[in-house]
Amino acid sequence: MVLLHVLFEHAAGYALFAVKEVEEIGMLLPQVEENVLNIGKFNSMVSLAAFFPFKSAQAALENINAVSEGVVHADLKLFLETNLPHGGKKKVALGVADAKIGAALQEELTCSIQTGGVVAEILRGVRLHFHSLVKGLTGQAASKAQLGLGHSYSRAKVKFNVNRADNMIIQSIALLDQLDKDINTFSMRVREWYGYHFPELIKIVPDNSMYCRLAQLIGNRKELSEESLESLEEVVMDSAKAQAILEASRSSMGMDISPIDLINIERFSNRVVSLASYRLELQEYLRSKMNQVAPNLAALIGEVVGARLISHAGSLTNLAKYPASTVQILGAEKALFRALKTRGNTPKYGLIFHSTFIGRAAAKNKGRISRYLANKCTIASRIDCFSEVPTSVFGDKLRDQVEERLSFYETGEVPRKNVDVMKEAVKEVSLTFELLRLQINIEAPGFKSLPASIIFVLVLKARQREQVQKFVFELCV
């Protein structure tokens, strides 16, 4: 015989329900599905064995966080140990909704754990009739408890350091990609539109942004003269090219265009130019955010590639959890599954291909350097994710290691060991934090070029000053 109990986690507290005795738990499933909507019939199947109300909103939040992470809270363990029947001839089974918390409970308790099937149907009925099954709990009170805990849980989940928000990086890189596509499309439209009037300009100026600025500046090509040469030079930054534009305008094969058409072309060109300038501002914003959120990853692989990795992973935390083998082919999932399906060669790299290291490596070493680079990216992302104070020291050291590895593939020069490099990085970080603590301006011009001996003297003097100040303070007190 099986004595089944089901655990239900509610915003008001933990509830333990006893289900009537059955030889086979699976035999209950059709009966539960039939009676779950009827409170009278459901009451004949399920009875409340124990209820543990949360003492405060903070206790409820702690418990729900533990449940969501698959951890058995001390309150839950005490509640189950106290109320679950022990010993006897009947076998005790505990039904839970989540397999993750079920696995954790299996380690803590001696009873068997059940998930899915009839347990899921019983919990569906309990969720529907919970306020009726627990004495003294009204539907309104249950709803208020759920709403309050929902707000607290959501607030705790989104509570983060605003300066280290990786979701801003994800949105920025997505917008940057979209702007690149839009600017390219709009620039081609300007080229085609203005090309009717001045077709020779397309060959002279291949750059899209510069072409749009010139279309905005020139307007009617027949009005170009020697006086316009200086303003053309400011745009193209080349006197020979400006002279070529002036000469081409005098012998152009383009058709004449009406003033109203020119106004529309100029207005559209102005929009494209403003989009291009905004793209530059957005790239600078992305660079600053990457230096705040993931400085080591940015120093190692670059701001744009690092942002693409974070965006593809979903967050910096997700990227930090990935093994190096996953980071290596991140972005090449289609090629990977195609290779697995056809039993062909798997891809050697994904998004990290856009790094300069892959391009600089010889063809036979591209796979090796991509593996090595993915390994260093994983280390950098984990340091960025779990370090409290952002610093790019580790990223710079990891970049040096990749450079040494490239040199090793080309010349055979043995690179330094990772342990030695990391020890150097830790010493440098410790020194930087000590300088900041002693209020020495490490951003002062020429500071980073000072010899280590002079920096050491500065630290000693600052420490002496700190001790003198402390001594004077103690005398005054």
Side-chain angles (χ1 to χ4, degrees), residues 460-471:
L460 284 178
K461 286 186 176 180
R463 282 179 178 168
Q464 289 171 1
R465 186 173 67 247
E466 188 182 40
Q467 288 173 358
V468 169
Q469 289 172 353
K470 185 180 178 182
F471 178 70

Side-chain angles (χ1 to χ4, degrees), residues 64-297:
I64 201 66
N65 278 330
V67 169
S68 66
E69 292 168 8
V71 177
V72 180
H73 195 272
D75 292 343
L76 177 59
K77 185 179 179 182
L78 179 64
F79 172 66
L80 291 175
E81 287 178 346
T82 307
N83 295 290
L84 273 177
H86 298 284
K89 296 180 181 180
K90 296 174 183 177
K91 183 182 176 183
V92 178
L94 178 64
V96 294
D98 185 26
K100 194 175 179 182
I101 192 70
L105 285 169
Q106 185 81 52
E107 296 177 3
E108 297 286 343
L109 306 174
T110 54
C111 64
S112 64
I113 304 295
Q114 302 285 340
T115 55
V118 68
V119 173
E121 290 297 326
I122 290 172
L123 286 172
R124 189 163 67 93
V126 170
R127 192 178 298 110
L128 183 64
H129 306 297
F130 184 73
H131 60 278
S132 303
L133 296 169
V134 179
K135 290 181 181 179
L137 183 68
T138 62
Q140 187 178 4
S143 298
K144 281 185 178 180
Q146 286 176 326
L147 185 65
L149 182 59
H151 284 171
S152 301
Y153 181 74
S154 302
R155 198 179 299 115
K157 282 294 180 184
V158 300
K159 191 177 182 180
F160 49 72
N161 185 348
V162 293
N163 294 320
R164 302 191 69 184
D166 53 3
N167 54 354
M168 298 302 169
I169 290 174
I170 295 169
Q171 296 299 326
S172 298
I173 193 65
L175 181 56
L176 200 66
D177 291 339
Q178 189 64 48
L179 278 175
D180 284 336
K181 292 177 184 177
D182 292 345
I183 290 170
N184 187 50
T185 305
F186 294 157
S187 299
M188 294 306 294
R189 179 63 55 202
V190 172
R191 282 173 175 273
E192 187 177 347
W193 200 355
Y194 192 66
Y196 292 131
H197 178 62
F198 194 177
E200 292 80 8
L201 186 63
I202 296 173
K203 291 183 179 179
I204 300 172
V205 183
D207 183 67
N208 287 335
S209 178
M210 191 180 292
Y211 185 92
C212 292
R213 281 185 286 159
L214 283 171
Q216 185 183 4
L217 174 67
I218 295 169
N220 192 341
R221 71 171 195 278
K222 293 182 178 179
E223 295 176 4
L224 272 182
S225 60
E226 295 290 341
E227 297 173 357
S228 310
L229 201 58
E230 187 177 347
S231 56
L232 287 173
E233 283 182 22
E234 290 179 4
V235 175
V236 297
M237 306 294 289
D238 188 351
S239 57
K241 193 173 283 188
Q243 187 65 39
I245 292 170
L246 185 62
E247 291 173 0
S249 67
R250 292 169 179 167
S251 58
S252 177
M253 299 286 291
M255 59 181 280
D256 291 335
I257 198 165
S258 64
I260 188 67
D261 293 332
L262 272 176
I263 290 171
N264 279 284
I265 293 172
E266 287 172 9
R267 287 177 65 185
F268 187 48
S269 301
N270 187 33
R271 294 293 178 89
V272 179
V273 169
S274 63
L275 274 177
S277 62
Y278 172 65
R279 187 204 173 282
L280 294 175
E281 294 172 8
L282 183 66
Q283 192 167 10
E284 189 60 36
Y285 164 75
L286 178 64
R287 185 176 291 110
S288 67
K289 290 301 290 184
M290 280 295 293
N291 289 330
Q292 289 175 355
V293 178
N296 293 295
L297 188 62

